[in-house]
Amino acid sequence: MKKKVITGATSLALAGLAALSLASCGGNKLNNGGNVFHIYAWNTEFQGFFNKYVSDEKSNDNPNATHHLDGIPVKWTITTSDNGAYQNALDTALRENQGANEENKVDMFLAEADYILKYTNTSLTKDVKTIGVTNFENAYQYTVDAASDKNGVVKGVSFQCCPAGMVYRRSIAKEVLGTDDPAQVQAKVNSWEKFDTVAAQMKAKGYLMTASYADTYRVFSNNADKAWVDDNKKLTMPTPVKTWMAQAEKYVKEGYTKTEGVWDAGKTAEFTKDGKAFCTFGPAWYYNFCMGTAMGDASKPATDEINVNKSYGDWAVVEGPQAHFWGGTWMIATADGSNDDLVAKTMNAFLNDETVCKELVTKESQFSNNKKVNEAVANEYETQKKGNGFLGGQNDTKIWVEMADNIKFKYNTIYDQHCNEGLQTAFVKYLKGDDEINTKEKALNDFYTELKKTFPNIVTD
């Protein structure tokens, strides 16, 4: 799962991309017969799903035990994302993959939206249709677009769809807005102008609108009107990102938010029972897995130790000012792996096996990458009056079904991760009143300087 922002540059960057592209002729020949199914990942989230729903054992009771697929042992190489470690390790493995021994040959690896194009546009990844992954009828189109190279060749499959929305505090909504009903709250925040109005109302009642200056960043950046870097390597900041900068500056100045980062403890502290932040933004994986200080146990009384400082059930989700997405995990096929049939079996299971996809939704609080399954579960929950306890019983699956088709994967480049994270890192120094970065111009220059350390060929103003 997406636990931390990656700070620090990946060492291979553009030079590494060139090396990756030239390191292998790739090709679309079916490669089978390997005696180890080797998967690269940055954490154990997907490993757990694989063990429970796809492996021969169908169990994750002992995650450290070796699992198998069609009798072949599965080897996992897990490297944390911190400071670019995962990409560095993966880049090295892919460059060496063609000549690697069977124990080290990588068959499949995981990638996120921010850097997936770095890999799909090289010859070290493979057209999944040639290995038997051909049915994308029920997949959300943006997940297919994200895993496709510049010629439209699909190199991977996502096991999840990640529409994101505004997650708000019901009790604060009732006090300040007079209602916690999602439809009525949505009507009050369905534009950025209305969002600003509500922010002022929250401030007047002693509340924060958000807990982080970066809470709304992904809403703006994933609705970009242009690529961060054009074909001439010229940096051109998307207009919505500029709008976010103005909003972040205003919200910090007016006391509508805090200068905490998305993953900082000072932000998550606002999710406790006595927290003052009205809302945050995120997809199902964010509130179901990352809002730890808000979590509780619905089976125990509110006075129980595990619940006494929690806000379980005091939340709801709506689209907010704009539809957007955040995150996602894609399975990518390597050109030089030795178990293409197992790669295809894994991808097809998470894409088209309705039993597996339904288990992800109903048992793992995921939103699957299968429209048919998601819609069926949403309708089933609606009929049964069943919902997410964390969200006060709201049928969030229905919300995501309504939003998911609005997601676009457009204007994305190999530079996005560094641009998105680098700008926030530099800009917050200005927002905090850093002695050296005390103007917006200095913040941008700091951003450009750090970016060019990784991508020296980028042209900045």
Side-chain angles (χ1 to χ4, degrees), residues 38 75 96-106 338:
H38 191 185
K75 174 184 176 181
E96 299 173 350
N97 211 31
Q98 189 176 43
N101 60 33
E102 179 57 28
E103 180 72 13
N104 295 313
K105 192 176 284 291
V106 183
S338 57

Side-chain angles (χ1 to χ4, degrees), residues 216-225 228 238 240-241 244 410 420:
T216 60
Y217 182 82
R218 290 287 177 172
V219 191
F220 288 103
S221 67
N222 284 344
N223 281 291
D225 61 342
W228 266 105
V241 174
W244 168 79
K410 195 174 182 181
N420 289 326

Side-chain angles (χ1 to χ4, degrees), residues 19-64:
L20 287 176
S21 297
L22 297 174
S24 167
C25 59
N28 289 319
K29 176 172 66 72
L30 197 62
N31 300 325
N32 281 313
N35 56 28
V36 175
F37 182 27
H38 191 185
I39 305 172
Y40 254 64
W42 63 86
N43 65 26
T44 59
E45 177 194 33
F46 178 75
Q47 181 182 5
F49 296 153
F50 176 93
N51 289 347
K52 289 170 69 174
Y53 302 118
V54 178
S55 75
D56 296 344
E57 289 75 11
K58 297 291 192 300
S59 170
N60 198 37
D61 292 340
N62 183 1
N64 295 319

